[in-house]
Amino acid sequence: MTAWANGTPCTANLTVLGTAGEFLEAADRNVFLLKWSSATGEVLEPQASADRAGGTALEWRPAGGGGSVISWAVIPGRPPVETRRVIAIIELDEGPWWWGQVVGVDPAGDIDLRGARVRVEFRRLGQSAEDEYLPVFRLQPG
């Protein structure tokens, strides 16, 4: 099993991103990409292979990285690391929904993240310089 640099287990499934290479290369540069349809102008989720009209002329473009929490859960840690994490479904400002870890919030506390604003940041998946960066979302003040 892979772990974050702090030892927290990470079970990221990168194959869902399809052309993950370009996404991960951008993440290494702290750039958050989403898929866009050249034909319709739609902003699509990363795993999309076609737009709503069936067009496959999709490209990665930088996104703003902001969003609002739709739903969340506190996930208990697994041995040997018992760190609890907050996982959320986030509606990105561009429209698509994304799920990911929310940082900057105490998972042991009584939390209500409904509508809370978050912003993407990137964390290295492991401790090696060859490990990829993946997006997490930081709770924004206010």
Side-chain angles (χ1 to χ4, degrees), residues 21-37:
E22 192 172 345
F23 179 88
L24 294 172
E25 287 172 13
D28 284 346
R29 298 185 315 271
N30 290 318
V31 176
F32 186 57
L33 297 180
L34 291 175
K35 283 191 178 174
W36 297 67
S37 167

Side-chain angles (χ1 to χ4, degrees), residues 19 37 71:
T19 55
S37 167
S71 183

Side-chain angles (χ1 to χ4, degrees), residues 24-82:
L24 294 172
E25 287 172 13
D28 284 346
R29 298 185 315 271
N30 290 318
V31 176
F32 186 57
L33 297 180
L34 291 175
K35 283 191 178 174
W36 297 67
S37 167
S38 302
T40 66
E42 289 176 83
V43 182
L44 304 162
E45 62 276 357
Q47 66 271 23
S49 58
D51 61 30
R52 290 194 180 121
T56 57
L58 306 179
E59 60 185 80
W60 291 106
R61 289 190 187 170
S68 298
V69 174
I70 299 295
S71 183
W72 71 96
V74 175
I75 308 299
R78 291 184 278 177
V81 178
E82 296 293 335

Side-chain angles (χ1 to χ4, degrees), residues 106-126:
D106 179 7
D110 183 24
I111 57 174
D112 182 358
L113 297 178
R114 188 181 7 238
R117 293 290 300 165
V118 293
R119 176 147 304 279
V120 73
E121 62 181 51
F122 296 90
R123 297 235 175 130
R124 190 180 295 275
L125 185 59

Side-chain angles (χ1 to χ4, degrees), residues 81-128:
V81 178
E82 296 293 335
T83 304
R84 295 165 46 132
R85 294 172 287 159
V86 176
I87 303 298
I89 298 171
I90 297 149
E91 182 176 15
L92 300 172
D93 293 342
E94 291 83 359
W97 288 15
W98 184 283
W99 67 269
Q101 183 175 356
V102 177
V103 297
V105 61
D106 179 7
D110 183 24
I111 57 174
D112 182 358
L113 297 178
R114 188 181 7 238
R117 293 290 300 165
V118 293
R119 176 147 304 279
V120 73
E121 62 181 51
F122 296 90
R123 297 235 175 130
R124 190 180 295 275
L125 185 59
Q127 297 180 5
S128 166

